[in-house]
mmCIF file of all heavy atoms in Angstrom:
data_model
loop_
_atom_site.group_PDB
_atom_site.id
_atom_site.type_symbol
_atom_site.label_atom_id
_atom_site.label_comp_id
_atom_site.label_asym_id
_atom_site.label_seq_id
_atom_site.Cartn_x
_atom_site.Cartn_y
_atom_site.Cartn_z
ATOM 1 N N TYR A 1 85.239 114.922 55.941
ATOM 2 C CA TYR A 1 86.055 114.361 54.864
ATOM 3 C C TYR A 1 85.360 114.483 53.512
ATOM 4 O O TYR A 1 86.019 114.622 52.477
ATOM 5 C CB TYR A 1 86.431 112.902 55.158
ATOM 6 C CG TYR A 1 85.325 111.895 55.015
ATOM 7 C CD1 TYR A 1 85.111 111.236 53.806
ATOM 8 C CD2 TYR A 1 84.494 111.588 56.087
ATOM 9 C CE1 TYR A 1 84.085 110.311 53.667
ATOM 10 C CE2 TYR A 1 83.477 110.666 55.961
ATOM 11 C CZ TYR A 1 83.271 110.025 54.750
ATOM 12 O OH TYR A 1 82.252 109.116 54.623
ATOM 13 N N GLU A 2 84.021 114.437 53.498
ATOM 14 C CA GLU A 2 83.298 114.613 52.239
ATOM 15 C C GLU A 2 83.403 116.064 51.769
ATOM 16 O O GLU A 2 83.526 116.334 50.573
ATOM 17 C CB GLU A 2 81.822 114.232 52.413
ATOM 18 C CG GLU A 2 81.586 112.738 52.617
ATOM 19 C CD GLU A 2 81.780 111.941 51.325
ATOM 20 O OE1 GLU A 2 82.002 112.559 50.260
ATOM 21 O OE2 GLU A 2 81.719 110.700 51.388
ATOM 22 N N ARG A 3 83.383 116.995 52.697
ATOM 23 C CA ARG A 3 83.531 118.408 52.333
ATOM 24 C C ARG A 3 84.944 118.666 51.816
ATOM 25 O O ARG A 3 85.142 119.467 50.895
ATOM 26 C CB ARG A 3 83.203 119.310 53.528
ATOM 27 C CG ARG A 3 81.782 119.100 54.033
ATOM 28 C CD ARG A 3 81.371 120.099 55.086
ATOM 29 N NE ARG A 3 80.201 119.619 55.816
ATOM 30 C CZ ARG A 3 79.379 120.376 56.517
ATOM 31 N NH1 ARG A 3 79.585 121.673 56.601
ATOM 32 N NH2 ARG A 3 78.343 119.852 57.150
ATOM 33 N N ALA A 4 85.921 117.989 52.410
ATOM 34 C CA ALA A 4 87.302 118.121 51.928
ATOM 35 C C ALA A 4 87.420 117.617 50.488
ATOM 36 O O ALA A 4 88.094 118.227 49.653
ATOM 37 C CB ALA A 4 88.253 117.370 52.848
ATOM 38 N N LYS A 5 86.749 116.511 50.192
ATOM 39 C CA LYS A 5 86.774 115.977 48.824
ATOM 40 C C LYS A 5 86.166 116.958 47.823
ATOM 41 O O LYS A 5 86.577 117.011 46.664
ATOM 42 C CB LYS A 5 86.000 114.653 48.765
ATOM 43 C CG LYS A 5 86.731 113.462 49.363
ATOM 44 C CD LYS A 5 85.885 112.210 49.210
ATOM 45 C CE LYS A 5 86.585 110.978 49.774
ATOM 46 N NZ LYS A 5 85.758 109.754 49.623
ATOM 47 N N LEU A 6 85.189 117.726 48.281
ATOM 48 C CA LEU A 6 84.534 118.695 47.395
ATOM 49 C C LEU A 6 85.385 119.949 47.183
ATOM 50 O O LEU A 6 85.117 120.734 46.275
ATOM 51 C CB LEU A 6 83.169 119.101 47.970
ATOM 52 C CG LEU A 6 82.091 118.020 47.987
ATOM 53 C CD1 LEU A 6 80.833 118.541 48.677
ATOM 54 C CD2 LEU A 6 81.765 117.556 46.570
ATOM 55 N N GLY A 7 86.407 120.140 48.045
ATOM 56 C CA GLY A 7 87.291 121.279 47.835
ATOM 57 C C GLY A 7 87.357 122.282 48.966
ATOM 58 O O GLY A 7 87.771 123.426 48.757
ATOM 59 N N ILE A 8 86.964 121.881 50.179
ATOM 60 C CA ILE A 8 87.052 122.771 51.342
ATOM 61 C C ILE A 8 88.164 122.275 52.258
ATOM 62 O O ILE A 8 88.144 121.127 52.695
ATOM 63 C CB ILE A 8 85.723 122.810 52.133
ATOM 64 C CG1 ILE A 8 84.589 123.325 51.246
ATOM 65 C CG2 ILE A 8 85.863 123.680 53.377
ATOM 66 C CD1 ILE A 8 83.219 123.268 51.905
ATOM 67 N N SER A 9 89.137 123.128 52.532
ATOM 68 C CA SER A 9 90.163 122.763 53.519
ATOM 69 C C SER A 9 90.362 123.920 54.476
ATOM 70 O O SER A 9 89.930 125.051 54.206
ATOM 71 C CB SER A 9 91.480 122.375 52.844
ATOM 72 O OG SER A 9 92.135 123.498 52.308
ATOM 73 N N ARG A 10 91.071 123.667 55.581
ATOM 74 C CA ARG A 10 91.172 124.685 56.617
ATOM 75 C C ARG A 10 92.478 124.571 57.395
ATOM 76 O O ARG A 10 93.144 123.537 57.371
ATOM 77 C CB ARG A 10 90.018 124.555 57.608
ATOM 78 C CG ARG A 10 90.097 123.289 58.443
ATOM 79 C CD ARG A 10 89.130 123.298 59.602
ATOM 80 N NE ARG A 10 89.439 124.325 60.567
ATOM 81 C CZ ARG A 10 88.718 124.574 61.662
ATOM 82 N NH1 ARG A 10 87.642 123.851 61.901
ATOM 83 N NH2 ARG A 10 89.063 125.513 62.507
ATOM 84 N N THR A 11 92.825 125.662 58.053
ATOM 85 C CA THR A 11 93.852 125.634 59.080
ATOM 86 C C THR A 11 93.151 125.837 60.420
ATOM 87 O O THR A 11 91.979 126.217 60.470
ATOM 88 C CB THR A 11 94.900 126.741 58.877
ATOM 89 O OG1 THR A 11 94.266 128.027 59.000
ATOM 90 C CG2 THR A 11 95.558 126.623 57.507
ATOM 91 N N PHE A 12 93.894 125.591 61.497
ATOM 92 C CA PHE A 12 93.304 125.654 62.826
ATOM 93 C C PHE A 12 93.940 126.770 63.655
ATOM 94 O O PHE A 12 95.117 127.088 63.509
ATOM 95 C CB PHE A 12 93.486 124.319 63.558
ATOM 96 C CG PHE A 12 92.695 123.197 62.958
ATOM 97 C CD1 PHE A 12 93.188 122.497 61.868
ATOM 98 C CD2 PHE A 12 91.459 122.847 63.463
ATOM 99 C CE1 PHE A 12 92.464 121.463 61.299
ATOM 100 C CE2 PHE A 12 90.725 121.818 62.902
ATOM 101 C CZ PHE A 12 91.229 121.118 61.811
ATOM 102 N N GLN A 13 93.134 127.334 64.551
ATOM 103 C CA GLN A 13 93.638 128.359 65.464
ATOM 104 C C GLN A 13 94.758 127.777 66.320
ATOM 105 O O GLN A 13 95.791 128.406 66.533
ATOM 106 C CB GLN A 13 92.484 128.859 66.333
ATOM 107 C CG GLN A 13 92.855 129.999 67.263
ATOM 108 C CD GLN A 13 91.631 130.499 68.017
ATOM 109 O OE1 GLN A 13 90.482 130.237 67.650
ATOM 110 N NE2 GLN A 13 91.872 131.229 69.081
ATOM 111 N N ASN A 14 94.543 126.567 66.818
ATOM 112 C CA ASN A 14 95.583 125.828 67.537
ATOM 113 C C ASN A 14 96.156 124.802 66.569
ATOM 114 O O ASN A 14 95.436 123.934 66.083
ATOM 115 C CB ASN A 14 95.003 125.147 68.776
ATOM 116 C CG ASN A 14 94.423 126.144 69.759
ATOM 117 O OD1 ASN A 14 95.057 127.134 70.075
ATOM 118 N ND2 ASN A 14 93.200 125.882 70.217
ATOM 119 N N ILE A 15 97.439 124.908 66.302
ATOM 120 C CA ILE A 15 98.084 124.095 65.278
ATOM 121 C C ILE A 15 97.795 122.610 65.482
ATOM 122 O O ILE A 15 97.913 122.086 66.582
ATOM 123 C CB ILE A 15 99.603 124.349 65.271
ATOM 124 C CG1 ILE A 15 99.880 125.818 64.930
ATOM 125 C CG2 ILE A 15 100.303 123.453 64.263
ATOM 126 C CD1 ILE A 15 101.314 126.239 65.103
ATOM 127 N N ALA A 16 97.417 121.916 64.398
ATOM 128 C CA ALA A 16 97.057 120.493 64.464
ATOM 129 C C ALA A 16 97.886 119.708 63.448
ATOM 130 O O ALA A 16 97.372 119.247 62.440
ATOM 131 C CB ALA A 16 95.563 120.321 64.201
ATOM 132 N N LEU A 17 99.185 119.582 63.729
ATOM 133 C CA LEU A 17 100.090 118.853 62.842
ATOM 134 C C LEU A 17 100.586 117.587 63.520
ATOM 135 O O LEU A 17 100.433 117.411 64.737
ATOM 136 C CB LEU A 17 101.295 119.740 62.483
ATOM 137 C CG LEU A 17 101.011 120.998 61.654
ATOM 138 C CD1 LEU A 17 102.230 121.903 61.656
ATOM 139 C CD2 LEU A 17 100.620 120.629 60.231
ATOM 140 N N TYR A 18 101.209 116.697 62.735
ATOM 141 C CA TYR A 18 101.883 115.522 63.293
ATOM 142 C C TYR A 18 103.271 115.967 63.729
ATOM 143 O O TYR A 18 104.191 116.068 62.918
ATOM 144 C CB TYR A 18 101.970 114.412 62.248
ATOM 145 C CG TYR A 18 100.625 113.942 61.728
ATOM 146 C CD1 TYR A 18 100.273 114.116 60.397
ATOM 147 C CD2 TYR A 18 99.711 113.330 62.586
ATOM 148 C CE1 TYR A 18 99.035 113.688 59.919
ATOM 149 C CE2 TYR A 18 98.474 112.905 62.115
ATOM 150 C CZ TYR A 18 98.147 113.088 60.788
ATOM 151 O OH TYR A 18 96.918 112.674 60.323
ATOM 152 N N THR A 19 103.415 116.270 65.015
ATOM 153 C CA THR A 19 104.639 116.920 65.483
ATOM 154 C C THR A 19 105.863 116.010 65.447
ATOM 155 O O THR A 19 106.993 116.506 65.449
ATOM 156 C CB THR A 19 104.451 117.446 66.915
ATOM 157 O OG1 THR A 19 104.018 116.378 67.768
ATOM 158 C CG2 THR A 19 103.418 118.563 66.950
ATOM 159 N N ASN A 20 105.657 114.695 65.399
ATOM 160 C CA ASN A 20 106.796 113.768 65.357
ATOM 161 C C ASN A 20 107.174 113.364 63.936
ATOM 162 O O ASN A 20 108.054 112.526 63.743
ATOM 163 C CB ASN A 20 106.500 112.517 66.186
ATOM 164 C CG ASN A 20 106.394 112.824 67.675
ATOM 165 O OD1 ASN A 20 107.159 113.638 68.185
ATOM 166 N ND2 ASN A 20 105.448 112.197 68.353
ATOM 167 N N ALA A 21 106.506 113.953 62.956
ATOM 168 C CA ALA A 21 106.786 113.649 61.543
ATOM 169 C C ALA A 21 107.459 114.850 60.881
ATOM 170 O O ALA A 21 107.433 115.968 61.404
ATOM 171 C CB ALA A 21 105.497 113.297 60.814
ATOM 172 N N THR A 22 108.048 114.626 59.723
ATOM 173 C CA THR A 22 108.712 115.707 59.005
ATOM 174 C C THR A 22 107.693 116.610 58.313
ATOM 175 O O THR A 22 106.512 116.260 58.172
ATOM 176 C CB THR A 22 109.674 115.153 57.940
ATOM 177 O OG1 THR A 22 108.892 114.493 56.921
ATOM 178 C CG2 THR A 22 110.687 114.193 58.538
ATOM 179 N N VAL A 23 108.179 117.753 57.870
ATOM 180 C CA VAL A 23 107.347 118.664 57.090
ATOM 181 C C VAL A 23 106.820 117.949 55.849
ATOM 182 O O VAL A 23 105.628 118.001 55.534
ATOM 183 C CB VAL A 23 108.164 119.914 56.688
ATOM 184 C CG1 VAL A 23 107.383 120.764 55.679
ATOM 185 C CG2 VAL A 23 108.520 120.736 57.923
ATOM 186 N N LEU A 24 107.707 117.253 55.161
ATOM 187 C CA LEU A 24 107.326 116.529 53.950
ATOM 188 C C LEU A 24 106.248 115.492 54.241
ATOM 189 O O LEU A 24 105.251 115.390 53.507
ATOM 190 C CB LEU A 24 108.560 115.852 53.354
ATOM 191 C CG LEU A 24 108.388 115.090 52.048
ATOM 192 C CD1 LEU A 24 107.931 116.017 50.925
ATOM 193 C CD2 LEU A 24 109.693 114.400 51.659
ATOM 194 N N ASP A 25 106.404 114.738 55.310
ATOM 195 C CA ASP A 25 105.426 113.698 55.655
ATOM 196 C C ASP A 25 104.073 114.303 56.021
ATOM 197 O O ASP A 25 103.019 113.730 55.713
ATOM 198 C CB ASP A 25 105.947 112.841 56.807
ATOM 199 C CG ASP A 25 107.079 111.921 56.384
ATOM 200 O OD1 ASP A 25 107.222 111.687 55.172
ATOM 201 O OD2 ASP A 25 107.837 111.455 57.264
ATOM 202 N N ASN A 26 104.086 115.458 56.706
ATOM 203 C CA ASN A 26 102.829 116.118 57.056
ATOM 204 C C ASN A 26 102.066 116.528 55.808
ATOM 205 O O ASN A 26 100.839 116.353 55.732
ATOM 206 C CB ASN A 26 103.095 117.347 57.932
ATOM 207 C CG ASN A 26 103.022 117.047 59.415
ATOM 208 O OD1 ASN A 26 101.954 117.087 60.019
ATOM 209 N ND2 ASN A 26 104.161 116.715 59.996
ATOM 210 N N LEU A 27 102.776 117.053 54.819
ATOM 211 C CA LEU A 27 102.104 117.472 53.589
ATOM 212 C C LEU A 27 101.651 116.267 52.764
ATOM 213 O O LEU A 27 100.554 116.284 52.181
ATOM 214 C CB LEU A 27 103.022 118.371 52.758
ATOM 215 C CG LEU A 27 102.899 119.874 53.034
ATOM 216 C CD1 LEU A 27 103.203 120.214 54.486
ATOM 217 C CD2 LEU A 27 103.814 120.673 52.111
ATOM 218 N N MET A 28 102.451 115.203 52.749
ATOM 219 C CA MET A 28 102.056 113.998 52.026
ATOM 220 C C MET A 28 100.816 113.361 52.657
ATOM 221 O O MET A 28 99.955 112.829 51.954
ATOM 222 C CB MET A 28 103.210 112.999 51.997
ATOM 223 C CG MET A 28 104.296 113.322 50.982
ATOM 224 S SD MET A 28 103.713 113.300 49.255
ATOM 225 C CE MET A 28 103.397 111.535 49.024
ATOM 226 N N ALA A 29 100.715 113.431 53.981
ATOM 227 C CA ALA A 29 99.552 112.849 54.664
ATOM 228 C C ALA A 29 98.257 113.506 54.207
ATOM 229 O O ALA A 29 97.205 112.858 54.141
ATOM 230 C CB ALA A 29 99.710 112.987 56.175
ATOM 231 N N ALA A 30 98.343 114.789 53.882
ATOM 232 C CA ALA A 30 97.145 115.505 53.439
ATOM 233 C C ALA A 30 96.706 115.090 52.036
ATOM 234 O O ALA A 30 95.573 115.349 51.627
ATOM 235 C CB ALA A 30 97.395 117.012 53.473
ATOM 236 N N ARG A 31 97.595 114.437 51.291
ATOM 237 C CA ARG A 31 97.270 114.038 49.921
ATOM 238 C C ARG A 31 96.456 112.748 49.866
ATOM 239 O O ARG A 31 95.977 112.380 48.793
ATOM 240 C CB ARG A 31 98.571 113.833 49.111
ATOM 241 C CG ARG A 31 99.411 115.078 48.919
ATOM 242 C CD ARG A 31 98.752 116.113 48.058
ATOM 243 N NE ARG A 31 98.444 115.609 46.726
ATOM 244 C CZ ARG A 31 97.738 116.274 45.825
ATOM 245 N NH1 ARG A 31 97.233 117.456 46.118
ATOM 246 N NH2 ARG A 31 97.504 115.756 44.632
ATOM 247 N N HIS A 32 96.283 112.062 50.999
ATOM 248 C CA HIS A 32 95.620 110.751 50.967
ATOM 249 C C HIS A 32 94.217 110.832 50.383
ATOM 250 O O HIS A 32 93.726 109.885 49.783
ATOM 251 C CB HIS A 32 95.552 110.158 52.387
ATOM 252 C CG HIS A 32 94.474 110.764 53.240
ATOM 253 N ND1 HIS A 32 94.645 111.966 53.903
ATOM 254 C CD2 HIS A 32 93.205 110.342 53.513
ATOM 255 C CE1 HIS A 32 93.521 112.261 54.560
ATOM 256 N NE2 HIS A 32 92.651 111.304 54.342
ATOM 257 N N ILE A 33 93.591 111.997 50.538
ATOM 258 C CA ILE A 33 92.212 112.135 50.079
ATOM 259 C C ILE A 33 92.127 112.074 48.550
ATOM 260 O O ILE A 33 91.086 111.779 47.981
ATOM 261 C CB ILE A 33 91.616 113.445 50.623
ATOM 262 C CG1 ILE A 33 90.082 113.354 50.666
ATOM 263 C CG2 ILE A 33 92.040 114.662 49.802
ATOM 264 C CD1 ILE A 33 89.435 114.382 51.534
ATOM 265 N N HIS A 34 93.264 112.334 47.875
ATOM 266 C CA HIS A 34 93.293 112.298 46.412
ATOM 267 C C HIS A 34 93.861 110.985 45.871
ATOM 268 O O HIS A 34 93.921 110.802 44.654
ATOM 269 C CB HIS A 34 94.132 113.460 45.873
ATOM 270 C CG HIS A 34 93.559 114.813 46.170
ATOM 271 N ND1 HIS A 34 92.355 115.248 45.663
ATOM 272 C CD2 HIS A 34 94.019 115.827 46.939
ATOM 273 C CE1 HIS A 34 92.101 116.471 46.097
ATOM 274 N NE2 HIS A 34 93.105 116.846 46.871
ATOM 275 N N MET A 35 94.308 110.097 46.753
ATOM 276 C CA MET A 35 94.945 108.859 46.294
ATOM 277 C C MET A 35 93.905 107.818 45.918
ATOM 278 O O MET A 35 92.932 107.615 46.626
ATOM 279 C CB MET A 35 95.895 108.327 47.371
ATOM 280 C CG MET A 35 97.087 109.241 47.603
ATOM 281 S SD MET A 35 98.260 108.583 48.813
ATOM 282 C CE MET A 35 99.518 109.876 48.786
ATOM 283 N N LYS A 36 94.139 107.130 44.799
ATOM 284 C CA LYS A 36 93.148 106.194 44.267
ATOM 285 C C LYS A 36 93.631 104.746 44.253
ATOM 286 O O LYS A 36 92.862 103.838 43.980
ATOM 287 C CB LYS A 36 92.761 106.602 42.841
ATOM 288 C CG LYS A 36 92.112 107.980 42.749
ATOM 289 C CD LYS A 36 91.763 108.324 41.322
ATOM 290 C CE LYS A 36 90.993 109.636 41.232
ATOM 291 N NZ LYS A 36 91.785 110.778 41.708
ATOM 292 N N SER A 37 94.918 104.493 44.527
ATOM 293 C CA SER A 37 95.422 103.123 44.473
ATOM 294 C C SER A 37 94.807 102.286 45.590
ATOM 295 O O SER A 37 94.526 102.787 46.672
ATOM 296 C CB SER A 37 96.950 103.101 44.591
ATOM 297 O OG SER A 37 97.364 103.686 45.804
ATOM 298 N N ASN A 38 94.601 100.990 45.324
ATOM 299 C CA ASN A 38 94.014 100.122 46.338
ATOM 300 C C ASN A 38 95.091 99.586 47.285
ATOM 301 O O ASN A 38 96.280 99.838 47.117
ATOM 302 C CB ASN A 38 93.221 98.973 45.687
ATOM 303 C CG ASN A 38 94.113 98.099 44.808
ATOM 304 O OD1 ASN A 38 95.243 97.766 45.168
ATOM 305 N ND2 ASN A 38 93.592 97.712 43.644
ATOM 306 N N MET A 39 94.677 98.833 48.292
ATOM 307 C CA MET A 39 95.597 98.371 49.321
ATOM 308 C C MET A 39 96.701 97.483 48.747
ATOM 309 O O MET A 39 97.870 97.595 49.116
ATOM 310 C CB MET A 39 94.830 97.592 50.407
ATOM 311 C CG MET A 39 95.680 97.244 51.626
ATOM 312 S SD MET A 39 94.704 96.421 52.886
ATOM 313 C CE MET A 39 93.556 97.721 53.322
ATOM 314 N N LEU A 40 96.350 96.611 47.792
ATOM 315 C CA LEU A 40 97.337 95.677 47.237
ATOM 316 C C LEU A 40 98.403 96.415 46.432
ATOM 317 O O LEU A 40 99.600 96.255 46.680
ATOM 318 C CB LEU A 40 96.639 94.646 46.346
ATOM 319 C CG LEU A 40 97.566 93.653 45.627
ATOM 320 C CD1 LEU A 40 98.351 92.837 46.652
ATOM 321 C CD2 LEU A 40 96.770 92.744 44.698
ATOM 322 N N THR A 41 97.977 97.274 45.481
ATOM 323 C CA THR A 41 98.965 97.981 44.668
ATOM 324 C C THR A 41 99.750 98.968 45.508
ATOM 325 O O THR A 41 100.934 99.208 45.261
ATOM 326 C CB THR A 41 98.287 98.716 43.496
ATOM 327 O OG1 THR A 41 97.309 99.628 44.014
ATOM 328 C CG2 THR A 41 97.636 97.745 42.545
ATOM 329 N N GLY A 42 99.096 99.540 46.537
ATOM 330 C CA GLY A 42 99.805 100.458 47.414
ATOM 331 C C GLY A 42 100.874 99.750 48.210
ATOM 332 O O GLY A 42 101.986 100.244 48.383
#
């Protein structure tokens, strides 16, 4: 996760997605690393 914060991301040989979620939700989940709001405001 620290390497991801520095700017390294990857795809996997065997797909590793949230299969029960939508395309939009899968992409939004990846944005959490850039989110800065705290638990209360969130």
Side-chain angles (χ1 to χ4, degrees):
Y1 73 92
E2 290 287 355
R3 301 188 198 200
K5 285 182 179 180
L6 292 176
I8 299 174
S9 72
R10 68 168 295 178
T11 63
F12 292 83
Q13 184 176 343
N14 299 313
I15 298 171
L17 295 167
Y18 300 116
T19 55
N20 293 321
T22 67
V23 171
L24 183 62
D25 288 341
N26 267 273
L27 269 59
M28 282 297 291
R31 296 293 301 173
H32 78 278
I33 203 163
H34 295 296
M35 294 183 178
K36 298 180 174 63
S37 59
N38 61 42
M39 188 177 296
L40 176 61
T41 58

